[in-house]
Amino acid sequence: MPAKHERRLRVGVLGAGQIAQAAHFESCTKAANADLFAICDIADDLRERMAITHGAEKTYGDYDRMLADPEIDAVIIATADAFHVPASLRALQAGKHVLCEKPVGLTVEECLELKSAVEQSGKVFQVGHMKRFDAGLQAAKSFIADEMGDMIALKAWYCDSTHRYPMTDAVQPLIVTSAHAKKPSANPKADLRRYYMLAHGCHLIDTARYFAGDIVAVQARLSERAGIWCWFVDVEFASGTLGHLDLTVQVRMDWHEGFQIYGKNGSVIGKTYNPWYYKTSEVDIFREADGATHRVLGADGHFYRRQVEGFARTILDGTPMEGADVDDGLASVRAMVAIARSAETGKPVALADVTGGV
Ligand SMILES: NC(=O)c1ccc[n+]([C@@H]2O[C@H](COP(=O)([O-])OP(=O)(O)OC[C@H]3O[C@@H](n4cnc5c(N)ncnc54)[C@H](O)[C@@H]3O)[C@@H](O)[C@H]2O)c1
């Protein structure tokens, strides 16, 4: 691993659940410019075990006590979706920078409240859309910005697989659970249509927006047959690019995620792996100028660690935000709500008009 820098961000992680154990604790300990300084979880057994495993200096059972610690610069919010906005607001009030897991919130209204709090705070606020730290996607983004010219069309797909859990169980650490963990009042998985959109749809939308910019309106169709939820979405981008998104859970095949982009001076085709393999997307960039295809290797595929390092760079070095900001998080929530409303009504829905949640 690259050596630790002298100046490092001291991070407190809220939540010692699945994503913290599989990604954030290790990301902070490996990051060159950050440290896992504290862990906060209401579940004593989980918190203390994770602190020993990952070597956190401090632990807190109470979030407000962690926020009052002057030695902590920033927090990662790794809790269930329902707690993202309340926990982010409290962190900003306490003067901490925030990296909040996706989706940033559940409703348009709470995201708007968060956006205004972020703007007033002057703190760095990043959303955990870690795919923006995939070197393959970053290479595509640079080509689009510098060489490709007009983007004519974008197709993107994100298809979770029936074989997902045997695959992730094989490569993730054993996830420790606790009967004392804090859960939202309603089980998020009670409504799978909503859960799949929030858990997976926000990744697909963020990838599309990362490449093609703002989405103005969507027209969606949803098929729910044979235990497969399949959304086909026509997307109107502000740029005039034609867009199509395919969110399908659960496909009867391997994990299937990727994109195709057609531009004036070239095209891009990308294949993205299940994130837990930490493998950079295979992205083929074809340049019309020399008639050749280029693919970056991206040997460092640890998107979650790269995400923490990018967050720390923005705070410590004042570099521009490399990840998704609060506007990106809000736009993703608006798009998910618009897709849900469009699928229900069969009509196109403008993102500017949506209220409420998925
Ligand atoms: N970016 C990704 O690839 C990715 C992958 C999986 C999950 N996620 C996101 O990560 C988030 C967390 O998911 P998870 O499965 O790890 O959740 P989880 O419920 O397993 O863990 C959350 C932990 O936070 C603790 N907690 C919650 N509120 C607390 C509070 N106020 N004070 C103290 N402790 C508190 C709970 O006790 C629990 O242990 C979700 O929003 C999910 O969408 C992201």
Side-chain angles (χ1 to χ4, degrees):
M1 291 311 302
K4 287 271 184 186
H5 298 175
E6 216 160 279
R7 275 181 74 225
R8 300 190 296 278
L9 192 74
R10 277 166 307 192
V11 179
V13 178
L14 172 65
Q18 190 266 338
I19 188 68
Q21 292 180 41
H24 296 307
F25 295 151
E26 182 187 276
S27 295
C28 292
T29 52
K30 284 185 173 173
N33 56 358
D35 284 331
L36 177 64
F37 186 74
I39 294 177
C40 174
D41 201 298
I42 203 164
D44 298 345
D45 49 349
L46 193 55
R47 180 183 71 245
E48 296 311 323
R49 184 160 166 188
M50 288 304 129
I52 292 166
T53 305
H54 296 278
E57 283 195 35
K58 293 188 184 174
T59 63
Y60 291 98
D62 179 75
Y63 182 44
D64 288 322
R65 285 199 48 231
M66 180 166 88
L67 291 178
D69 185 337
E71 291 195 285
I72 292 175
D73 305 311
V75 294
I76 294 178
I77 295 174
T79 65
D81 304 349
F83 305 130
H84 289 177
V85 170
S88 296
L89 292 173
R90 274 153 69 189
L92 293 167
Q93 278 156 13
K96 308 298 184 195
H97 305 283
V98 177
L99 171 57
C100 179
E101 261 305 340
K102 47 53 59 177
V104 71
L106 290 175
T107 66
V108 171
E109 291 74 15
E110 68 167 359
C111 294
L112 286 168
E113 185 189 354
L114 177 61
K115 173 179 157 65
S116 92
V118 170
E119 285 162 0
Q120 280 165 27
S121 73
K123 296 290 160 191
V124 171
F125 185 91
Q126 190 173 312
V127 186
H129 287 297
M130 79 296 175
K131 290 174 194 286
R132 291 185 181 225
F133 293 87
D134 177 321
L137 271 66
Q138 290 174 331
K141 174 87 172 164
S142 299
F143 174 68
I144 291 163
D146 302 338
E147 295 179 64
M148 194 183 75
D150 284 347
M151 186 186 293
I152 311 308
L154 173 144
K155 293 191 279 181
W157 49 95
Y158 182 117
C159 307
D160 194 2
S161 159
T162 34
H163 303 282
R164 174 227 178 91
Y165 288 108
M167 293 164 80
T168 53
D169 286 352
V171 290
Q172 283 186 340
L174 182 70
I175 303 298
V176 181
T177 56
S178 166
H180 309 293
K182 183 172 157 132
K183 299 283 175 195
S185 51
N187 174 9
K189 291 190 181 172
D191 177 351
L192 287 177
R193 184 191 296 179
R194 180 171 178 270
Y195 175 73
Y196 289 149
M197 179 55 67
L198 290 167
H200 303 298
C202 73
H203 280 307
L204 175 64
I205 291 161
D206 189 67
T207 298
R209 292 188 66 262
Y210 180 57
F211 291 137
D214 285 335
I215 297 172
V216 178
V218 295
Q219 167 118 42
R221 284 177 298 156
L222 168 62
S223 159
E224 285 182 23
R225 294 167 61 204
I228 301 175
W229 283 254
C230 177
W231 287 261
F232 272 18
V233 186
D234 278 334
V235 176
E236 185 187 332
F237 289 101
S239 61
T241 298
L242 289 183
H244 181 267
L245 303 182
D246 160 8
L247 173 66
T248 305
V249 190
Q250 314 163 350
V251 282
R252 307 291 146 82
M253 56 190 276
D254 197 355
W255 181 274
H256 178 59
E257 182 180 352
F259 51 88
Q260 291 184 358
I261 297 167
Y262 309 137
K264 179 167 174 262
N265 304 318
S267 295
V268 186
I269 298 179
K271 173 178 171 54
T272 294
Y273 291 86
N274 180 293
W276 304 108
Y277 286 101
Y278 290 124
K279 181 161 167 47
T280 293
S281 295
E282 287 174 354
V283 177
D284 289 337
I285 297 172
F286 180 82
R287 286 179 172 79
E288 191 71 357
D290 60 4
T293 297
H294 181 81
R295 179 189 291 184
V296 70
L297 171 62
D300 174 7
H302 204 307
F303 333 106
Y304 296 98
R305 194 205 81 251
R306 290 163 61 94
Q307 164 176 260
V308 170
E309 288 177 341
F311 176 60
R313 266 193 300 276
T314 303
I315 296 164
L316 298 175
D317 310 333
T319 55
M321 170 93 71
E322 297 161 53
D325 64 15
V326 70
D327 288 315
D328 295 313
L330 167 62
S332 186
V333 171
R334 277 191 185 281
M336 288 191 288
V337 176
I339 291 168
R341 293 298 92 80
S342 176
E344 286 156 12
T345 60
K347 296 191 172 133
V349 175
L351 269 61
D353 295 341
V354 293
T355 56
V358 172

